[in-house]
């Protein structure tokens, strides 16, 4: 079974990861035994989300090294939050280890500021809430900034906090959680709410489940 790790931290923005956690659970209902969600944190103390929901990490960040080592870690997902302008040094170190092991890392909203602080966006195409949002990080990647909902470059995925749907769809594609046809149909449906996209998603889901 493969693992998608979710960084669990104070003020993590609920809407930015909720689509993904739901899709992991739904995919497991359709085809069990493929993927699991693992909440990881900087130690194991409980946190409160931005919506004031209590969450507790299941594992420390150190656990990701072993998962990366046996090639069962599909991605580390870092949701936004209010405290990424400083601190989180262990997370930055972990991201460095995972990037070196070619494990995808995805950050949205405030997490892009952390990725900029760590130097991971200096030479990668990336996006964020706005170009100005990253300027205070002191990073060197301003020329690599792209006005787009979501950008993936050499193992790092970034997105605006207003783009949780494209962010989730990109993670589904990168990890193989769902086939591309399902991820594409799901993204179009949740962005536009068109009935034809719902029909396309149901068709793609049936084909995948029965394959």
């Amino acid at each position: 079974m493969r693992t998608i790790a979710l960084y669990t931290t104070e003020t993590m923005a609920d809407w930015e990861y909720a689509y993904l956690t739901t899709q992991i659970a739904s995919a497991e209902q359709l085809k069990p035994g493929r993927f699991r969600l693992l909440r990881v944190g900087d130690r194991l103390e409980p946190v409160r989300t931005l919506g004031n929901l209590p969450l507790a990490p299941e594992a420390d960040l150190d656990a990701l090294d072993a998962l990366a080592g046996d090639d069962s870690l599909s991605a580390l997902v870092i949701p936004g939050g209010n405290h990424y302008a400083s601190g989180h040094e262990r997370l930055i170190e972990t991201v460095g280890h995972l990037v070196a092991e070619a494990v995808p890392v995805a950050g949205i909203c405030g997490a892009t500021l952390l990725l900029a602080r760590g130097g991971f966006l200096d030479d990668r195409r990336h996006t964020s809430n706005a170009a100005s949002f990253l300027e205070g990080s002191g990073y060197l990647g301003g020329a690599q900034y792209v006005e787009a909902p979501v950008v993936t470059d050499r193992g790092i995925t970034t997105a605006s906090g207003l783009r949780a749907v494209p962010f989730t769809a990109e993670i589904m594609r990168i990890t193989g959680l769902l086939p591309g046809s399902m991820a594409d149909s799901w993204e179009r449906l949740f962005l536009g709410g068109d009935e034809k996209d719902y029909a396309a998603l149901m068709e793609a889901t049936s084909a995948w489940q029965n394959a």
Side-chain angles (χ1 to χ4, degrees):
M1 177 176 284
R2 301 193 61 75
T3 297
I4 297 175
L6 176 68
Y7 187 59
T8 306
T9 186
E10 290 290 340
T11 73
M12 57 196 291
D14 305 70
W15 69 93
E16 294 173 356
Y17 62 85
Y19 287 116
L20 178 62
T21 57
T22 303
Q23 288 304 304
I24 294 171
S26 297
E28 275 301 289
Q29 289 178 349
L30 292 171
K31 287 197 173 186
R34 299 175 62 247
F35 283 88
R36 65 163 180 156
L37 175 72
L38 179 67
R39 299 186 307 274
V40 297
D42 187 350
R43 301 180 176 82
L44 301 179
E45 287 78 8
V47 303
R48 288 273 175 178
T49 72
L50 203 56
N52 203 36
L53 295 177
L55 280 182
E58 302 167 86
D60 185 82
L61 282 168
D62 288 343
L64 298 184
D65 287 335
L67 293 172
D70 67 15
D71 198 32
S72 65
L73 182 61
S74 287
L76 169 63
V77 179
I78 311 172
N82 292 340
H83 304 296
Y84 285 121
S86 62
H88 298 278
E89 282 80 9
R90 290 187 66 221
L91 176 58
I92 292 173
E93 182 180 359
T94 297
V95 171
H97 292 166
L98 296 183
V99 169
E101 294 290 332
V103 175
V105 175
I108 183 171
C109 195
T112 62
L113 181 60
L114 176 128
L115 293 172
R117 285 177 50 218
F120 303 108
L121 306 183
D122 286 349
D123 59 355
R124 287 180 173 86
R125 295 172 65 254
H126 60 277
T127 192
S128 181
N129 298 335
S132 59
F133 181 73
L134 301 179
E135 289 175 356
S137 69
Y139 86 133
L140 305 176
Q144 302 291 330
Y145 188 86
V146 180
E147 291 286 354
V150 60
V151 175
T152 298
D153 188 1
R154 287 180 293 130
I156 299 283
T157 296
T158 50
S160 160
L162 300 178
R163 301 293 190 170
V165 169
F167 181 67
T168 300
E170 184 76 349
I171 294 168
M172 290 194 288
R173 296 184 193 103
I174 288 168
T175 60
L177 176 66
L178 293 178
S181 59
M182 285 181 67
D184 293 347
S185 299
W186 179 89
E187 182 177 13
R188 289 193 301 268
L189 175 62
F190 276 76
L191 287 176
D194 195 304
E195 184 177 357
K196 72 176 185 300
D197 293 320
Y198 176 78
L201 176 59
M202 292 301 100
E203 182 179 352
T205 301
S206 178
W208 179 60
Q209 190 174 13
N210 295 321

